[in-house]
Amino acid sequence: MQPPELSLAGKLDNGLTKGLCLLLRGLRTGSLWLLGLLALAGLPWIIFEYGEGLADLSLLEWSFMLLLALLLWRHIRYCQHFATGIWRGLNRLLMCQGVMVVLGLVTVGLLIYVMAETRDLQELPRYLLQDDPISKFLSFGSVLLAVYLAAPTAATESFRATEAMPARVEPSVSAMAKEASL
C-alpha cells in the first residue's frame, strides 16, 4: 500500500528539510575533516617545539613517532586488504582525528567550567600553557587512538554489492523439453 501523495506545500517542505539536512551533514563532515587535518598538520610544531631538530625530541616523542608510523602502515594495509581506497581511507583517518579534537575541546571546556565555578579563572591560562608530560601523553595518545580506530574493519558496501551480485544465468532447455514443444 502506497502512502498518499503530498500536496505542493508538503513537497516543498519535504524538499527544504532534505536540503537542510544535506547541508548540515556536509558542514559536519567538512568541519570534522578540517579539524582532523589541522590536528595532523600541527603535529610537527608540537613535536619539534624548541626548533632544535632531532636533539629536541624526548623519549615520549620518539616512541610516539614510531607508533604513529606503525599505525599508519597498519591503516594503509587494512585499506588495501578491504579495498577501501586511498581517499576513503584518508577520509576515515581525518574524521577520527576530528572527533578526537572535538572531544579534547569538550574536555577543555569542562575544565574551564570547573575552574570558573571554583573562582580559579586566573589560574587557567597558567595551567593551560604549562608543559607537563601528562597533557603531552594524553594529546599523543588521542592521536594514536584515532589512527588506530580509523582503520577499516570490513569491505565497503559498493565492493560487497558488486561481488554479491550473481552473473545473469540463462535458463537451459533440455533436449526432452525441445521435443515436447514440437
Side-chain angles (χ1 to χ4, degrees):
M1 183 177 226
Q2 293 183 353
E5 191 164 322
L6 291 173
S7 66
L8 180 61
K11 287 178 183 179
L12 288 174
D13 181 49
N14 192 18
L16 179 66
T17 303
K18 284 181 183 178
L20 287 175
C21 284
L22 269 170
L23 177 69
L24 288 175
R25 191 176 313 128
L27 285 173
R28 180 197 65 192
T29 302
S31 60
L32 284 176
W33 205 83
L34 184 62
L35 281 172
L37 183 65
L38 289 174
L40 288 179
L43 280 177
W45 282 278
I46 294 172
I47 294 173
F48 300 106
E49 58 198 342
Y50 301 116
E52 297 177 10
L54 293 178
D56 180 23
L57 300 179
S58 67
L59 182 60
L60 176 67
E61 292 162 339
W62 276 108
S63 58
F64 166 74
M65 289 193 312
L66 176 66
L67 286 173
L68 183 63
L70 290 173
L71 286 173
L72 286 173
W73 176 80
R74 172 187 174 266
H75 181 82
I76 291 168
R77 293 295 299 162
Y78 279 9
C79 285
Q80 288 174 348
H81 176 74
F82 292 117
T84 302
I86 184 96
W87 295 113
R88 261 197 198 138
L90 182 64
N91 183 40
R92 288 178 61 99
L93 183 67
L94 292 177
M95 291 289 285
C96 284
Q97 288 297 330
V99 168
M100 283 302 200
V101 168
V102 168
L103 286 175
L105 291 175
V106 166
T107 304
V108 168
L110 289 174
L111 179 67
I112 290 172
Y113 175 74
V114 167
M115 293 185 110
E117 288 294 318
T118 61
R119 307 283 189 247
D120 285 340
L121 209 50
Q122 290 80 19
E123 296 289 319
L124 180 66
R126 185 181 60 81
Y127 182 73
L128 288 178
L129 294 175
Q130 180 178 331
D131 190 27
D132 60 338
I134 294 175
S135 66
K136 246 188 179 181
F137 183 75
L138 288 175
S139 65
F140 288 159
S142 67
V143 169
L144 292 175
L145 180 64
V147 173
Y148 178 77
L149 294 176
T153 56
T156 59
E157 290 296 323
S158 61
F159 182 71
R160 273 192 260 151
T162 58
E163 186 180 275
M165 289 189 55
R168 184 177 171 142
V169 179
E170 295 292 328
S172 61
V173 180
S174 66
M176 214 186 226
K178 283 182 183 178
E179 286 178 18
S181 66
L182 292 176

